[in-house]
Amino acid sequence: MKIVFVGAVEGSLEALAAICAAGHIPSLVVTLPPELSGRHSDFADLAPTAEKHGVPVHHTARSDSEETLNVLREVAPDLILVIGWSQICGPDFRAIPRLGCIGFHPSALPRLRGRGVIPWTILQGESEAGATLFWLGEGVDDGAIAAQMRYEIDPETITARELYDRVRSAVSQMLPPLLTRIRSGDIPSEPQSEDGVSICARRRPEDGLIDWTRPAAEIHRLIRAVGPPYPGAFTQTSNGDTLTVLRARHCPHKGRYIGLPGQVQAVDGSVFTVACGDGQCLEILDWTGADRCPGLHSKLSSRAVS
């Protein structure tokens, strides 16, 4: 069975390594050129892994470009795997493989279709997450399901990195046995239910702006949701610098500090405590974009930034 693998992020790399290790060596890998790595905060170079297994690599800025479509037609694949690729694969692309195209989505479809799924999973306080391999069609994330995993998560502690890694592991577990099954002629295709459909809106880096007038639990959730491998939650210091918060925790001393939203209430070594809109505080454990110095409390904005 001839396979083409398309992807450009960390999850793509892990999935590619998994299928190669299982003996499903693609005939071609399609990925972004390194100079376009800035398109993804979690970009990964697939070329070394492809070359290790003797797989040719086609770099493209657009998977629907005529050049790329012609390259795919020359390969004449039975199946195209689209794993970690943010571009829409149009009808000309999907018409090329004999069996069709399988995409990957980091949720248990039909829940949480759309964009920014991992951050939205955390922001929505979901207690169950999942991963789905599905057949690409004309709609958005609504194709028939080829394989799916579901798992419980703790909505009060899960971080974007933890959920991202869980999703990466899930697709790497599902993909090799699915390819073995398809190669044997057993092609799973279960239509998605229309019950429970939800659709996530696109998120942009600026959506990580912290509003300190919001409750501490809500701000903590935002910090966890948009942290690495994503750009992160951020605020402004009083001198106009941007401070990106990477890790925080709830202050254990409820009621100890009284202040305005956004005020730094205490500095203890590398940890500083900020007041939130509900009177509770968050301890900021890790950040970038500002000096780690005792004078930080005089630089952080004393009021909410939005």
Side-chain angles (χ1 to χ4, degrees):
M1 183 171 67
K2 276 187 171 183
I3 299 169
V4 168
F5 187 97
V6 181
V9 299
E10 293 175 23
S12 314
L13 180 59
E14 189 166 331
L16 176 61
I19 66 171
C20 288
H24 299 288
I25 310 296
S27 299
L28 177 70
V29 165
V30 176
T31 188
L32 286 176
E35 60 267 24
L36 295 181
S37 62
R39 288 187 180 181
H40 300 282
S41 57
D42 57 340
F43 173 81
D45 186 0
L46 306 191
T49 298
E51 291 165 3
K52 175 183 175 182
H53 294 278
V55 180
V57 176
H58 173 70
H59 290 104
T60 183
R62 290 179 51 248
S63 50
D64 271 357
S65 70
E66 197 57 39
E67 177 191 7
T68 298
L69 293 177
N70 286 334
V71 169
L72 294 175
R73 292 183 184 110
E74 289 176 6
V75 174
D78 298 297
L79 182 69
I80 295 180
L81 303 176
V82 183
I83 312 294
W85 189 254
S86 61
Q87 301 175 38
I88 294 174
C89 299
D92 292 341
F93 181 102
R94 299 194 310 270
I96 291 173
R98 178 177 63 88
L99 297 174
C101 302
I102 290 180
F104 166 70
H105 195 71
S107 79
L109 292 172
R111 284 190 57 75
L112 302 176
R113 294 173 181 171
R115 307 289 294 274
V117 174
I118 287 177
W120 280 121
T121 299
I122 298 173
L123 290 169
Q124 290 292 104
E126 299 283 334
S127 59
E128 182 184 75
T132 306
L133 293 167
F134 67 102
W135 296 94
L136 297 185
E138 293 183 5
V140 177
D141 304 325
D142 61 356
I145 294 171
Q148 188 174 87
M149 289 182 65
R150 297 172 182 263
Y151 37 83
E152 293 183 355
I153 58 173
D154 184 344
E156 302 305 319
T157 63
I158 191 75
T159 66
R161 169 52 69 183
E162 291 168 346
L163 186 52
Y164 186 96
D165 290 345
R166 189 79 179 266
V167 165
R168 288 196 318 177
S169 175
V171 69
S172 297
Q173 292 177 54
M174 290 190 295
L175 203 47
L178 174 62
L179 294 179
T180 298
R181 186 175 174 184
I182 292 173
R183 187 168 59 185
S184 73
D186 180 9
I187 302 176
S189 180
E190 179 181 346
Q192 291 187 38
S193 171
E194 286 304 309
D195 294 332
V197 172
S198 55
I199 301 173
C200 299
R202 181 178 182 178
R203 293 190 62 84
R204 300 179 184 275
E206 54 266 33
D207 296 327
L209 178 65
I210 297 172
D211 179 355
W212 293 105
T213 66
R214 305 303 300 168
E218 184 178 320
I219 297 171
H220 187 239
R221 190 176 298 119
L222 175 67
I223 293 167
R224 291 185 286 111
V226 302
Y230 305 115
F234 66 95
T235 186
Q236 303 292 329
T237 63
S238 57
N239 63 3
D241 291 338
T242 297
L243 186 150
T244 301
V245 179
L246 302 177
R247 192 161 58 93
R249 69 186 174 203
H250 291 281
C251 178
H253 308 295
K254 292 187 177 181
R256 172 175 292 188
Y257 301 109
I258 299 173
L260 296 172
Q263 278 188 321
V264 176
Q265 301 293 293
V267 178
D268 183 6
S270 61
V271 176
F272 64 95
T273 304
V274 185
C276 302
D278 60 352
Q280 304 302 315
C281 293
L282 289 177
E283 293 181 346
I284 309 304
L285 307 177
D286 193 14
W287 71 93
T288 61
D291 293 335
R292 291 178 177 276
C293 63
L296 179 64
H297 64 286
S298 66
K299 299 178 182 177
L300 188 63
S301 173
S302 63
R303 301 302 297 265
V305 294
S306 64

